[in-house]
Amino acid sequence: VFGLSSAAQVLLGRGDFGQHLSINLGFGIGVTLGIHAAGGISGAHLNAAITLTHCILGNLPWRKLPAYLIGQFLGSFTAAATVFGLYYDALYDYTKGNFTVTGPTATASIFATYPAPYVSLLGGFFTEFMATMMLLLGILIIHDEKNNGALKGTQALLTGILVLGIGLGMGLNTGYAINPSRDLPPRVFTAIAGWGMDVFTAGHHWWWVPITAPILGSLAGVLIHKLFIDFHNQPVLQSGNEKGQPVVETS
């Protein structure tokens, strides 16, 4: 809701009610609040790529995967419907009732991501792959208690800032979906709500890239963290000794 409504306000306000930074801040705030809302209940799985990665690594039972994915899909789909209702009058005024994916009054990008006109399919795939890899790497670093993990209670805020940073630096080419759950459900909603099947054919059938590239990028982020950080961490000692100091047991 925060992210999509920010995108709607920037586009429909014709730049008078926010800029690209507004959208990045909206998604960062949304992620932070989402983690606070669901962190203690489900681990705040807001991203299907991360959920699938946890299943592959054995951190989450495969039998729970459908429930997580359904929850993510319904949440994102409902958010798109909410923002559509919130800004329906502005949408109608901006487009004169003609909802399009491309063209001078295109509005589909409010809800789902589309590549910039100059971006190739391969270039867009690489962008989403790299952005999601940085997302996973950042999340693992924030929660890495064996290394220099974040202070207790700040993880949600730092993850929101991480998403903000990705948007600030890697949002130009594709709009940084970095999450199948953030992109596919709103795309399905727009197909139903008046934009038609163009939402699946635009950008050389772009729709599948925000699904597959984040999954591969998520796995790559875990691999890099494991190879270059986790394998070199010393185990956390139960005593008050400094990291790396031997513990001598006495009877």
Side-chain angles (χ1 to χ4, degrees):
V1 169
F2 280 100
L4 300 186
S5 61
S6 299
Q9 181 165 288
V10 170
L11 179 63
L12 302 177
R14 295 176 169 84
D16 294 330
F17 294 89
Q19 302 294 331
H20 182 65
L21 176 61
S22 306
I23 301 172
N24 298 328
L25 286 170
F27 275 106
I29 292 169
V31 167
T32 299
L33 294 177
I35 294 172
H36 277 296
I41 299 170
S42 66
H45 285 229
L46 312 180
N47 189 327
I50 296 177
T51 302
L52 183 59
T53 298
H54 278 299
C55 288
I56 292 173
L57 294 177
N59 299 330
L60 183 72
W62 283 97
R63 59 183 173 81
K64 291 188 177 183
L65 180 63
Y68 276 84
L69 296 185
I70 291 170
Q72 292 163 9
F73 188 100
L74 290 177
S76 191
F77 186 92
T78 306
T82 300
V83 173
F84 178 77
L86 182 69
Y87 279 115
Y88 179 78
D89 293 336
L91 274 166
Y92 198 90
D93 178 71
Y94 185 85
T95 64
K96 300 300 184 287
N98 183 26
F99 298 160
T100 59
V101 179
T102 59
T105 59
T107 48
S109 61
I110 290 173
F111 300 93
T113 63
Y114 295 88
Y118 57 83
V119 176
S120 67
L121 203 59
L122 180 61
F125 191 99
F126 182 66
T127 299
E128 288 294 325
F129 174 86
M130 285 298 302
T132 313
M133 185 181 75
M134 296 306 296
L135 173 68
L136 256 291
L137 192 55
I139 289 174
L140 292 172
I141 290 170
I142 289 170
H143 291 85
D144 191 352
E145 296 182 357
K146 292 193 295 181
N147 187 16
N148 191 23
L151 295 175
K152 183 176 176 57
T154 65
Q155 293 93 339
L157 176 61
L158 289 173
T159 304
I161 293 174
L162 170 64
V163 172
L164 169 63
I166 291 172
L168 290 175
M170 290 176 260
L172 177 64
N173 288 343
T174 63
Y176 76 111
I178 61 175
N179 180 358
S181 306
R182 169 264 177 274
D183 192 83
L184 182 60
R187 194 180 300 275
V188 173
F189 173 81
T190 52
I192 298 170
W195 281 265
M197 296 305 292
D198 286 350
V199 300
F200 292 104
T201 58
H204 305 289
H205 296 81
W206 167 257
W207 69 273
W208 63 272
V209 176
I211 297 175
T212 56
I215 293 173
L216 296 176
S218 177
L219 292 170
V222 172
L223 178 63
I224 289 176
H225 179 265
K226 182 67 69 174
L227 290 177
F228 294 101
I229 297 176
D230 192 48
F231 282 160
H232 308 282
N233 277 337
Q234 297 293 327
V236 178
L237 301 178
Q238 296 300 319
S239 70
N241 291 20
E242 293 184 0
K243 184 176 177 180
Q245 295 293 326
V247 177
V248 179
E249 294 184 2
T250 57
S251 59

Short mmCIF file of all heavy atoms in Angstrom, two decimals, residues 1 37 43 53 131 151 213 215 218 236 248:
data_model
loop_
_atom_site.label_atom_id
_atom_site.label_comp_id
_atom_site.label_asym_id
_atom_site.label_seq_id
_atom_site.Cartn_x
_atom_site.Cartn_y
_atom_site.Cartn_z
N VAL A 1 0.83 -1.20 0.00
CA VAL A 1 0.00 0.00 0.00
C VAL A 1 0.87 1.26 0.00
O VAL A 1 0.65 2.19 -0.78
CB VAL A 1 -0.97 0.00 1.20
CG1 VAL A 1 -1.63 1.36 1.35
CG2 VAL A 1 -2.02 -1.07 1.05
N ALA A 37 4.99 -5.87 11.68
CA ALA A 37 3.66 -6.47 11.81
C ALA A 37 3.71 -7.99 11.83
O ALA A 37 2.98 -8.63 12.59
CB ALA A 37 2.77 -6.00 10.64
N GLY A 43 7.86 -14.61 10.82
CA GLY A 43 9.19 -14.31 10.35
C GLY A 43 9.21 -13.24 9.27
O GLY A 43 10.24 -12.94 8.69
N THR A 53 13.93 -19.59 -1.05
CA THR A 53 15.33 -19.81 -0.69
C THR A 53 15.43 -20.49 0.67
O THR A 53 16.24 -21.41 0.86
CB THR A 53 16.10 -18.47 -0.66
OG1 THR A 53 16.07 -17.89 -1.97
CG2 THR A 53 17.54 -18.66 -0.23
N ALA A 131 20.13 -6.74 -7.98
CA ALA A 131 19.43 -6.02 -6.92
C ALA A 131 18.94 -6.97 -5.84
O ALA A 131 19.05 -6.68 -4.63
CB ALA A 131 18.26 -5.23 -7.51
N LEU A 151 21.77 -4.07 16.08
CA LEU A 151 21.26 -4.06 17.44
C LEU A 151 19.83 -4.59 17.47
O LEU A 151 19.06 -4.36 16.54
CB LEU A 151 21.29 -2.64 18.02
CG LEU A 151 22.68 -1.99 18.20
CD1 LEU A 151 22.53 -0.55 18.65
CD2 LEU A 151 23.51 -2.79 19.20
N ALA A 213 14.30 -13.91 -11.93
CA ALA A 213 15.57 -13.24 -11.59
C ALA A 213 15.72 -13.05 -10.08
O ALA A 213 16.81 -13.29 -9.54
CB ALA A 213 15.69 -11.91 -12.33
N ILE A 215 14.56 -14.92 -7.70
CA ILE A 215 14.82 -16.22 -7.08
C ILE A 215 16.29 -16.59 -7.23
O ILE A 215 16.95 -17.00 -6.27
CB ILE A 215 13.91 -17.30 -7.70
CG1 ILE A 215 12.45 -17.04 -7.32
CG2 ILE A 215 14.33 -18.69 -7.24
CD1 ILE A 215 11.46 -17.95 -8.02
N SER A 218 18.44 -14.25 -5.15
CA SER A 218 18.36 -14.60 -3.73
C SER A 218 19.32 -15.72 -3.38
O SER A 218 20.05 -15.67 -2.38
CB SER A 218 16.93 -14.99 -3.38
OG SER A 218 16.81 -15.40 -2.04
N VAL A 236 29.94 -17.88 18.14
CA VAL A 236 29.67 -17.01 19.28
C VAL A 236 29.94 -17.78 20.56
O VAL A 236 29.38 -18.85 20.79
CB VAL A 236 28.21 -16.53 19.24
CG1 VAL A 236 27.91 -15.65 20.46
CG2 VAL A 236 27.95 -15.74 17.97
N VAL A 248 38.74 -21.54 28.63
CA VAL A 248 39.39 -22.57 29.43
C VAL A 248 38.39 -23.01 30.51
O VAL A 248 37.96 -22.21 31.33
CB VAL A 248 40.67 -22.04 30.08
CG1 VAL A 248 41.30 -23.12 30.94
CG2 VAL A 248 41.64 -21.56 29.01
#
